Amino acid sequence: LRREPVGVVGLIAPWNYPVQLALGPAATALAAGNRVMLKPSEITPHTSALLAELVHAAFAAEEFCVVQGAVDIATEFSALPFDHLFFTGSTHVGRLVAQAAAANLTPTTLELGGKSPCVIDASADLADAATKIAHGKLLNAGQTCIAPDYVMLPRGREAEFERAYAQAVQRLFPTLVGNPDYAAIVSERYLARQQAMVDEARQAGARVVVLGDLPPEGQRQMPPMLVFDLPPATRLMRDEIFGPVLPVLTCHTPD
């Protein structure tokens, strides 16, 4: 681990872990001897406002400052001539950030999401595997960049995995709606995105298993879902899901 002060570091933080993924990179940048400008997400405005208040109380603005605002501010922020730019977020926005930084030859660190597969070997204990997968998938309601995005399962074990996963969900979250330990989807817009992807899969012939009650109107605690027989052209298999929906693909062999 090498501490290397380069100057002023710009940090663009995401909404899914709005404290950890803002202050973690800020702390390391400061510890290495840099100054920091932080742009937190506008999707978590209360957390962003509190971060700005606390940072302002503890640091001089020329040491560490928080810049709030929506997409227009983020665009302007990423075009500043930083000595290093650190971005955590989606691949789509990461490309835009990299393009803006390139105009200034600013070195960048891009921590991007992706479609992380979870491969279940034929030798696996399915009950044990399902519990671990459910924990990883449902932490923060799936709004985690390293959550299992989809499962690769040996063909013929679909019913066994469905039972094991349903039992794991029941153990982890005996109740879902109103349970403060089961996270909500961050906004109505992102909830609608999840529901649209599931609806498209259904219309394409996929079998959707809903493991829990649908939330009342105005609540955003989306129940865990398994999706079987999913055509590869659907959005659930093209885009990072970032929610509690878990497609299950089957295969004959690891190859």
Side-chain angles (χ1 to χ4, degrees), residues 115 149 197 201 227 230 234-239 241 245 247:
K115 291 193 68 64
D149 188 272
M197 290 195 293
V227 184
L230 183 62
T234 53
R235 282 183 65 197
L236 282 175
M237 286 312 301
R238 293 198 320 268
D239 299 346
I241 296 171
V245 182

Side-chain angles (χ1 to χ4, degrees), residues 112-134:
L112 308 179
K115 291 193 68 64
S116 305
C118 188
V119 180
I120 299 180
D121 187 74
S123 66
D125 178 334
L126 268 194
D128 181 61
T131 298
K132 292 170 179 173
I133 293 167

